[in-house]
Amino acid sequence: MKLTFSYDELPEAARRFWETFPDKQVFALDGEMGAGKTTFVKALCAAQGVEDATASPTFSIINEYRFKNGGQQERIIYHLDLYRLRSLEEAAGAGVEDCLYHPDAICFVEWPEIIEPLLPADTVYVFLSVTPDQKRRIVAGSARPGDLTPSPQ
């Protein structure tokens, strides 16, 4: 998936993202500070019907949001921000594996490099970048972070 969008187009970008990855559960978000990772996760939560206020989990490490899948089954979205973690052991102690492998949850991981060995084989890697005109560009797929590079505009 490759997508470029403005802030005003964020809800449509979130809708298209869910259409592209309807059954995926773990998403590793990569991109420099300020690329819009947390803002995109907020839009993805809103598109799923999360009613709770969403915020960056930088200090809490893990935020949990609940929504009804198609209005029926309750599901969970975990939003992890691992920027402050320094080791795989620290991540495991914070409960990261429980989020990654929860059967009824979707998990978004910002700064996933520290837990690369823990990520499921079917993780979707999402690279966000800022274009020269201040739009956001997403390149997403099954490639590892080093393999995902934004293509020319």
Side-chain angles (χ1 to χ4, degrees):
M1 169 186 209
K2 294 179 183 179
L3 184 63
T4 302
F5 56 92
S6 67
Y7 184 78
D8 291 340
E9 297 166 325
L10 193 52
E12 176 62 16
R15 186 191 65 73
R16 289 183 58 195
F17 186 89
W18 286 124
E19 282 181 356
T20 304
F21 303 108
D23 299 323
K24 294 297 186 176
Q25 289 187 264
V26 178
F27 301 89
L29 304 170
D30 194 9
E32 59 187 51
M33 189 87 62
K37 295 178 294 292
T38 297
T39 300
F40 190 59
V41 171
K42 288 179 183 183
L44 292 168
C45 287
Q48 286 289 14
V50 170
E51 295 179 5
D52 297 331
T54 54
S56 175
T58 300
F59 295 103
S60 61
I61 300 174
I62 301 171
N63 284 350
E64 178 181 318
Y65 308 109
R66 295 185 180 270
F67 70 99
K68 298 278 187 180
N69 187 14
Q72 304 298 319
Q73 177 187 12
E74 184 171 86
R75 298 283 310 273
I76 299 169
I77 292 177
Y78 290 115
H79 182 193
L80 288 65
D81 185 331
L82 308 181
Y83 182 77
R84 297 184 324 120
L85 298 185
R86 300 293 169 237
S87 70
L88 191 58
E89 293 76 23
E90 193 176 357
V96 167
E97 284 180 281
D98 294 336
C99 299
L100 294 173
Y101 292 95
H102 190 293
D104 292 320
I106 297 166
C107 189
F108 293 100
V109 184
E110 293 188 42
W111 308 102
E113 300 81 15
I114 195 88
I115 62 158
E116 182 74 24
L118 300 177
L119 291 172
D122 63 345
T123 296
V124 175
Y125 292 88
V126 182
F127 183 85
L128 289 97
S129 59
V130 181
T131 65
D133 60 356
Q134 297 304 303
K135 290 185 177 184
R136 297 308 188 258
R137 177 142 177 94
I138 292 177
V139 178
S142 60
R144 296 281 185 216
D147 299 331
L148 279 181
T149 56
S151 57
Q153 308 304 312

